[in-house]
Amino acid sequence: MGARAWTAAVVAILATAAVASGGPQGTAAVKATVTVSVAGGGRVQSDPPGAIDCGATCSAELDVGATLALRALPDSGRELRGWDGECTGRSARCEVVVEGPSSISATFGPAQALSQPNTLAVTRSEGGTVVSDPEGLIDCGSTCSAGWIGGGQVTIRARASGGFRFLGWFGDCSGSDDACRLTLDRDRDAVASFVRNPIPPGSYRITIRNMNPPGSGSTTGTVEVVWNNGNDTFFCGDAECTTPAIAFGTNVELRPDSGTLKEWSGACVGKAELCHLVMSGNAQVTVSFRPGGPPPSFGVNVARSGNGTVRSAPSGIDCGPNSTCAAAFGEQTRVRLT
């Protein structure tokens, strides 16, 4: 063999060796086996489908460093009770980064109804807002209720608008300090009342619009109006009612006389049953009612991989060493996961 041919042969051999050993011309991926097991009535499928579909395909050789997403699919009448191994928690979907051989299990059980959360409901009169600390749970205005399982405390603060001042709290809050701290160990109602500053003299009326008056369907309610320490009352059972003239500066309370309150709007805004006004002008209040029974609640389920903890604000989820990876929260509650 000539020198030139011998050199070419050596180069060819070296190139083949480089490919086989993961050299620069053909790096071979390192693989690891991921094994999945299920119990209790369901299956686990990779998302998107392909690598895992257990029942049938319960292990896969995957590239180290790849992300594997798994979805728990309970049978009819069953629910995911939790992941174990490289996934933990209660969320139907879990993602893991493949770092080596690993095992994941999913346990299913009979579907269970959510426990009802304790609810904080706020109503405020015109002339201000009520916000919460931590921020985002209550912003009434728009978000006038929150609820969660597990207790915990929340501070709400009354903020007067220009031309108004904060009069005080009613319901489960009291006093004239703008901050009220509540423990959510049971359902709580907080009512914030604002008043024009100064109050213009005169006599004024309240017009009540009832979105669900008696005879309008299965969801109905009526409203009672009380002033002068209960000596004067007015009952509204029609679609629209107007009170007699009431002197300026008079404290007036509106509350459902029958039915389950959904919300107030207009001169009162919110979901606490009591509406408190100080007469400083003609006012219009709209009320709506919901079907009887507790307000709806919704579950938040968390799954995590690796080491770490996920906590919620408001409290309820502490997914990590405490393994509280699911909680129920009230309708329209903003939940922050950290």
Side-chain angles (χ1 to χ4, degrees), residues 52-252:
I52 298 289
D53 193 351
C54 186
T57 306
C58 294
S59 65
E61 294 283 328
L62 300 172
D63 294 343
V64 170
T67 298
L68 173 66
L70 297 173
R71 184 170 295 277
L73 304 170
D75 294 342
S76 177
R78 315 291 283 183
E79 68 179 8
L80 177 68
R81 291 292 175 82
W83 299 96
D84 200 6
E86 294 299 312
C87 281
T88 56
R90 292 282 301 273
S91 176
R93 192 174 191 272
C94 183
E95 291 188 2
V96 296
V97 176
V98 179
E99 297 178 343
S102 55
S103 298
I104 300 168
S105 63
T107 302
F108 300 89
Q112 297 176 329
L114 285 172
S115 299
Q116 282 296 126
N118 293 319
T119 300
L120 168 61
V122 175
T123 292
R124 53 92 176 162
S125 65
E126 65 177 341
T129 61
V130 177
V131 297
S132 63
D133 182 12
E135 182 182 355
L137 304 179
I138 296 291
D139 189 357
C140 190
S142 55
T143 307
C144 296
S145 68
W148 58 92
I149 290 174
Q153 293 186 322
V154 61
T155 298
I156 53 176
R157 301 182 186 277
R159 295 177 177 173
S161 304
F164 289 81
R165 63 179 175 86
F166 178 57
L167 177 69
W169 297 101
F170 299 86
D172 288 316
C173 289
S174 60
S176 57
D177 188 88
D178 65 356
C180 172
R181 188 167 183 82
L182 291 168
T183 299
L184 208 68
D185 54 357
R186 59 180 176 84
D187 289 346
R188 300 282 190 176
D189 277 6
V191 181
S193 185
F194 302 89
V195 61
R196 294 184 188 276
N197 190 24
I199 301 174
S203 295
Y204 304 102
R205 302 174 187 270
I206 303 172
T207 299
I208 302 163
R209 295 184 61 218
N210 187 347
M211 305 303 292
N212 310 100
S216 62
S218 59
T219 302
T220 63
T222 56
V223 176
E224 182 184 33
V225 185
V226 179
W227 67 100
N228 288 336
N229 296 318
N231 292 319
D232 292 299
T233 60
F234 179 82
F235 177 82
C236 181
D238 297 325
E240 184 168 307
C241 313
T242 301
T243 66
I246 303 172
F248 75 102
T250 301
N251 288 268
V252 181

Side-chain angles (χ1 to χ4, degrees), residues 299-332:
V300 175
N301 298 314
V302 173
R304 65 176 181 88
S305 61
N307 295 319
T309 300
V310 180
R311 293 188 176 94
S312 66
S315 60
I317 288 175
D318 188 356
C319 188
N322 293 330
S323 297
T324 307
C325 298
F329 297 87
E331 184 180 27
Q332 295 184 338

